[in-house]
């Protein structure tokens, strides 16, 4: 006698995006890891880096592990109060944090790998909606999780490279004077 699984393995139309729940993307940034780390945590660049989050002020411990911030998340049509918790903060190496709301949970990780002439940034993300309606609201109007990750990386690359060029120009100007 064969035993059937409890759930059907047929893909439903609302679950057709299962492969997009976990994403990893990479980018090369022409700046050292210290500059990339600073750009990742600068309060001025936070709105550009994470356009889906509006964060409240950071306490003194941020970005240390176990530090918590509150804010508001905008994921597609879903608008919710959110809690952002730093899970891992290894300066110049990696930063991982969790963003949770009543109807979703998300985890983001940035790994910084020094390379000749710059830094390779690996960005992993996982997004788990709290149900079908939340999932539907998240997917509308804002694209996929992969698009969000690419937005984060483009903004980080632009901020870090601009900051690095400004630092190099300042150092050259001080040497010439």
């Amino acid at each position: 006698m064969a035993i059937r699984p409890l759930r059907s393995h047929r893909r439903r139309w609302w679950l057709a995006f299962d492969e997009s729940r976990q994403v990893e993307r990479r980018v090369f940034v022409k700046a050292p890891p210290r500059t990339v780390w600073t750009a990742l945590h600068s309060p001025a660049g936070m709105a550009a880096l994470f356009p889906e989050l509006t964060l409240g002020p950071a306490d003194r411990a941020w970005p240390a592990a176990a530090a918590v911030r509150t804010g508001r998340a905008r994921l597609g049509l879903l608008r919710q109060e959110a809690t952002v918790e730093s899970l891992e903060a290894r300066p110049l190496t990696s930063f991982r944090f969790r963003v949770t709301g009543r109807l979703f949970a998300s985890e983001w990780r940035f790994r910084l790998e020094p390379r000749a002439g710059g830094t390779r940034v690996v960005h992993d993300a996982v997004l788990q909606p709290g149900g079908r309606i939340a999932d539907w609201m998240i997917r509308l109007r804002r694209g996929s999780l992969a698009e969000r990750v690419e937005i984060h990386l483009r903004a980080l690359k632009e901020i870090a490279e601009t900051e690095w060029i400004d630092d190099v120009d300042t150092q050259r100007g001080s040497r010439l004077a």
Side-chain angles (χ1 to χ4, degrees):
M1 175 170 129
I3 298 174
R4 270 185 44 209
L6 294 175
R7 292 184 181 178
S8 172
H9 283 89
R10 291 183 303 146
R11 293 176 66 93
R12 305 248 195 275
W13 64 269
W14 62 81
L15 295 177
F17 66 95
D18 279 345
E19 63 276 355
S20 69
R21 289 188 178 179
Q22 185 169 2
V23 174
E24 178 181 296
R25 297 288 188 267
R26 300 163 189 232
V27 70
F28 180 77
V29 180
K30 293 181 185 178
R34 180 175 306 280
T35 304
V36 177
W37 179 264
T38 303
L40 187 59
H41 298 293
S42 72
M46 200 58 84
L49 280 173
F50 306 107
E52 64 272 354
L53 293 176
T54 305
L55 295 175
D59 62 356
R60 292 178 22 185
W62 188 262
V68 177
R69 294 177 78 169
T70 58
R72 189 148 179 83
R74 297 176 317 277
L75 300 170
L77 293 178
L78 185 67
R79 309 283 196 255
Q80 278 196 338
E81 296 300 317
T83 303
V84 180
E85 178 186 6
S86 175
L87 301 174
E88 174 185 14
R90 296 180 182 175
L92 311 181
T93 307
S94 67
F95 179 58
R96 185 170 58 110
F97 63 99
R98 178 181 302 138
V99 181
T100 55
R102 195 169 47 85
L103 294 175
F104 73 95
S106 181
E107 193 169 303
W108 310 87
R109 182 172 70 173
F110 292 86
R111 287 179 304 192
L112 310 179
E113 301 171 355
R115 295 290 184 252
T119 305
R120 180 169 64 179
V121 180
V122 181
H123 182 14
D124 305 274
V126 177
L127 176 63
Q128 297 174 336
R132 284 190 299 175
I133 294 174
D135 179 31
W136 178 77
M137 292 176 72
I138 289 171
R139 292 190 328 137
L140 280 179
R141 292 186 64 188
R142 193 61 179 141
S144 68
L145 179 61
E147 290 175 15
R148 286 188 185 101
V149 167
E150 289 168 6
I151 288 169
H152 296 169
L153 287 176
R154 268 188 247 121
L156 180 61
K157 179 178 176 71
E158 182 179 329
I159 292 168
E161 287 179 352
T162 302
E163 188 175 310
W164 176 245
I165 290 169
D166 291 345
D167 288 347
V168 169
D169 289 344
T170 303
Q171 290 173 359
R172 285 182 185 159
S174 65
R175 288 184 199 155
L176 296 175

